[in-house]
Amino acid sequence: MHEDLKNGILSLLSKGTRRDGRKPDQYRAVSVEYGVSKNAEGSARVKIGDTEVMAGVKMEVMKPYPDTPDAGSMMFNVELTPMSSPEFETGPPSIDAIEFARITDRGIRESKALDTKKLCIESGEKMWMVVVDICTLNDDGNLFDAIALAALAAMKDAVYPGYDGEVIDYKKKTDQKLPLSKTPVTVTVFKYGNHLLVDPTPDEMKVYDARLTVSVLDNGNICSMQKGGDSPITHEDLFKMIQMAIDRSQDLRKHL
Amino acid sequence: MAYTERNDGRKPDELRPIEAKAGVIKRADGSGWFKIGNTEAYAAVYGPREMFPRFRQNPEKGVLRCHYTMMPFSSAGDRVRPGPSRRSKEIALVTEKALLPVINLGDFSNAVVDVFIELPQTDAGTRCAGICAASIALADAGIPMTDLVCAVSAGRVDDMILLDLNYIEDSHENGVDTPMAMLHNTKQVSLLQMDGEISLDQLKQATELAKKACDEIYEVQKAALKKKFEVTENA
C-alpha cells in the first residue's frame, strides 16, 4: 500500500540517513518535565520531537490480591486520545492502546523497580494500588518509548497522599516517595529490510517490517521484550536490535 | 461561619489567572489550550472531514461534534475511570450548543467537525475552560466563525456573589454555581446551567460579573490566536 514510501525510506537508509536528516540510531530531541498535573500524586510530560504524552499516578487503598497478601500492586492504562491523532477514535481501548499499556506494564513490573512488598499496609487486608494513566497529547510517531518513559517519570515524581489508616486525604501530600529502586528504560528498534532505526516518525511507523521493544536496566541487563510487525527476524538481527536498544537506553535515561 | 473572604484571596469579581495558547497539538487541524487557575483544558479540532457513521451525515450542512474527557489523574479526589460517563456526555452536549451559534458549517455538507476536549488538571470550571479552549481551536482550524465564545462561571457562596468559583467554593454547601458561555460581540448566552437556590436580584448581579469577565477572557483568546499567526519581520 505504501510501496513508494517504503522504497524512499529504504534508499535513504542505505545511504545512512532518513527523511528528516537524522542518523538511523538517532532520537529526536527528548524532554521530561515533572509535576505537570497538581492533583495527581505524581505526573510527567514527555516530548520526543513533536510527540507529546502526559502520565499521572493516582494511589488507592485496596484489599491485596489473594495470591500476594503481603504485596501492593500497580496498574498501567494508556489512553490514545482522539485529540492526539486523526487515526485514534473514541470508545473502548483499541488493541494498540492495550499493547502499549501491557508493554509499559511489563517493562516496569518485571524490572522489580517498584518494591511491592513496601506497598503492603496490612497483610491480607490493605495495600496501596499504584495506578499510572498515560494520555497522548500529540502523536508524531514512537509512542512506545514516549509512553514508557512518561510512566516511569510520573512514578519517580509520585509521593504518597495523606492516609490515616481509614481514609485517603488526596489534598495532603506527604514527602514520601514510591519505593522505586531502578530505572528501566524502554527502547523500540524498527527493522526495514536489512536496516535498523529508532524513534520513527508517523511515516516510518507505517511501513516497518518488524519491531522489537526492549526494556533495559541501569546495569545493561534487559527485563522485558516484545516483538511486533508482520515479518520474522533472524537470530542475528535479534541481537543487533537488542544491542541498539541497550546503547540508546543510556541516552534516554539521562533525561530522567 | 459565613463565607466573607475568598479562600484564595481574590476579590469577588476577580478571575483566577488566565493563560491561553493556540496551535499546541501539531497533528490536529486546529488546537487551543486554556488555563484558568488550576483548571487546564486542551482542545483539538479535526475536520471538516467525512462523517461516520453515515446515517449521522447531514446533506444540508456540516455537523459539530464535541467530546469532553477528564484525564484519569486530573481530579483532586479519586481516579476518574476512563470511558464516557453521564456527566461527560451531558457536558459534551452543552459544549456543542455553546459553540454552535458562532460557527457556520453551511458549506460542508455530509461532513463533521470534531472537537476533542481533554483536561489534565481540574479545579472547577472545567466546562467553561473547555469551551474557551475549543473556541480558540476552532478559529485556529480556520472554521468559518462569526465570533469567539467566552465562558466563565459565576454564582453565590453564602451571601457573596462571586465570579469564577474554584473547587472549594463550587462544593460549598450553601452555594450556587452558574456556568455561562457568551458570544463576545453580542453577549448572547449560549450556555447556561445552574444549581442551587438564588434570588433574581443575586442572579442578575452574578450574570453582570460574568458579562464583564467575558471581555477579559476574549482578549486572552484573541492574543493567543494573534500570537500563533504573528508574522515576524525576519521570517
Side-chain angles (χ1 to χ4, degrees):
Chain A
M1 215 169 96
H2 300 292
E3 228 168 285
D4 289 343
L5 178 64
K6 185 162 185 181
N7 290 336
I9 288 171
L10 277 172
S11 89
L12 282 172
L13 280 173
S14 63
K15 291 175 202 138
T17 185
R18 297 158 75 167
R19 299 177 96 195
D20 55 9
R22 274 185 294 156
K23 290 201 248 3
D25 64 348
Q26 189 183 354
Y27 270 85
R28 293 166 289 180
V30 178
S31 72
V32 180
E33 191 188 333
Y34 295 96
V36 295
S37 180
K38 288 193 172 65
N39 290 329
E41 275 69 80
S43 60
R45 179 201 306 271
V46 165
K47 289 186 194 169
I48 301 182
D50 281 334
T51 286
E52 187 173 347
V53 305
M54 222 187 231
V57 174
K58 287 301 278 183
M59 298 188 43
E60 298 166 4
V61 173
M62 287 173 49
K63 209 176 158 75
Y65 295 116
D67 56 339
T68 51
D70 297 317
S73 192
M74 61 193 117
M75 187 180 121
F76 296 85
N77 172 59
V78 172
E79 295 288 317
L80 299 178
T81 70
M83 172 176 90
S84 60
S85 164
E87 281 141 48
F88 299 155
E89 292 173 0
T90 53
S94 63
I95 182 61
D96 293 328
I98 291 167
E99 193 187 15
F100 284 133
R102 288 191 53 88
I103 286 175
T104 302
D105 182 307
R106 262 180 287 140
I108 295 173
R109 190 184 301 271
E110 299 306 321
S111 71
K112 309 234 166 34
L114 187 65
D115 188 347
T116 54
K117 287 268 188 307
K118 288 193 180 147
L119 295 175
C120 180
I121 301 167
E122 193 187 334
S123 177
E125 292 300 324
K126 281 175 192 160
M127 63 146 180
W128 285 107
M129 170 65 113
V130 179
V131 187
V132 186
D133 285 285
I134 306 104
C135 299
T136 56
L137 295 180
N138 189 60
D139 171 19
D140 196 37
N142 197 20
L143 284 174
F144 290 93
D145 302 355
I147 286 170
L149 194 63
L152 187 70
M155 288 171 80
K156 279 183 69 125
D157 184 53
V159 291
Y160 287 85
Y163 182 63
D164 62 2
E166 290 295 326
V167 190
I168 300 177
D169 182 2
Y170 286 112
K171 292 262 174 226
K172 205 179 129 198
K173 295 215 161 118
T174 65
D175 52 14
Q176 199 189 347
K177 295 249 174 194
L178 288 180
L180 212 56
S181 58
K182 299 171 197 171
T183 41
V185 168
T186 297
V187 175
T188 307
V189 179
F190 293 76
K191 182 172 175 287
Y192 303 77
N194 296 318
H195 305 282
L196 303 180
L197 62 78
V198 294
D199 189 26
T201 61
D203 272 348
E204 289 167 340
M205 287 288 287
K206 279 182 198 152
V207 294
Y208 64 86
D209 296 321
R211 63 171 152 84
L212 186 71
T213 305
V214 186
S215 299
V216 188
L217 291 167
D218 312 62
N219 62 8
N221 283 343
I222 58 176
C223 60
S224 80
M225 291 199 286
Q226 174 108 330
K227 191 248 167 212
D230 295 344
S231 303
I233 47 177
T234 64
H235 287 254
E236 198 193 336
D237 285 338
L238 171 66
F239 285 96
K240 269 193 205 157
M241 290 166 97
I242 295 175
Q243 191 57 53
M244 189 183 261
I246 292 173
D247 293 344
R248 293 287 71 81
S249 73
Q250 293 172 355
D251 310 344
L252 271 192
R253 188 171 289 110
K254 284 183 197 142
H255 296 283
L256 281 167
Chain B
M1 222 177 56
Y3 199 70
T4 50
E5 256 175 51
R6 302 188 80 165
N7 72 314
D8 53 11
R10 277 183 293 155
K11 292 195 271 305
D13 62 348
E14 190 179 340
L15 289 167
R16 292 175 284 179
I18 311 178
E19 286 173 73
K21 281 184 209 158
V24 287
I25 295 159
K26 301 242 163 48
R27 275 305 279 281
D29 297 316
S31 57
W33 173 80
F34 190 86
K35 188 171 181 209
I36 181 160
N38 285 331
T39 296
E40 189 180 343
Y42 283 90
V45 169
Y46 287 90
R49 57 184 180 184
E50 202 177 345
M51 166 68 113
F52 293 107
R54 290 183 87 154
F55 71 87
R56 291 260 166 84
Q57 289 183 352
N58 182 347
E60 281 168 15
K61 60 175 182 185
V63 175
L64 178 72
R65 187 165 59 182
C66 293
H67 311 258
Y68 165 100
T69 316
M70 275 170 72
M71 288 187 182
F73 49 81
S74 64
S75 148
D78 292 337
R79 171 175 183 252
V80 182
R81 284 178 154 268
S85 62
R86 286 160 56 98
R87 175 179 177 274
S88 68
K89 284 191 166 187
E90 191 209 4
I91 293 178
L93 170 78
V94 295
T95 298
E96 222 164 83
K97 303 300 175 203
L99 296 166
L100 212 46
V102 300
I103 65 170
N104 179 0
L105 300 179
D107 289 339
F108 308 117
S109 59
N110 296 329
V112 64
V113 172
D114 274 311
V115 178
F116 299 103
I117 295 167
E118 295 271 349
L119 299 125
Q121 183 176 292
T122 65
D123 183 18
T126 59
R127 70 198 67 190
C128 293
I131 289 167
C132 292
S135 199
I136 296 170
L138 285 163
D140 181 35
I143 304 292
M145 291 168 86
T146 52
D147 203 349
L148 285 176
V149 180
C150 317
V152 69
S153 79
R156 173 183 72 76
V157 174
D158 287 338
D159 291 326
M160 273 186 108
I161 304 299
L162 302 176
L163 179 70
D164 183 26
L165 283 73
N166 62 34
Y167 182 75
I168 288 174
E169 293 168 337
D170 185 25
S171 48
H172 194 280
E173 55 177 357
N174 181 18
V176 179
D177 180 36
T178 311
M180 270 177 274
M182 290 177 215
L183 325 187
H184 170 257
N185 286 328
T186 62
K187 298 289 181 298
Q188 288 179 92
V189 176
S190 63
L191 167 124
L192 177 69
Q193 295 182 292
M194 196 195 97
D195 36 34
E197 184 182 333
I198 196 166
S199 73
L200 264 187
D201 182 51
Q202 286 175 322
L203 179 65
K204 222 171 243 169
Q205 291 176 45
T207 51
E208 280 307 313
L209 289 186
K211 213 160 136 183
K212 269 198 210 123
C214 178
D215 289 327
E216 217 175 306
I217 291 169
Y218 175 77
E219 291 305 324
V220 177
Q221 289 173 305
K222 194 171 74 177
L225 284 160
K226 276 195 163 171
K227 184 155 188 221
K228 185 188 163 189
F229 293 101
E230 195 175 48
V231 183
T232 51
E233 276 180 27
N234 302 326

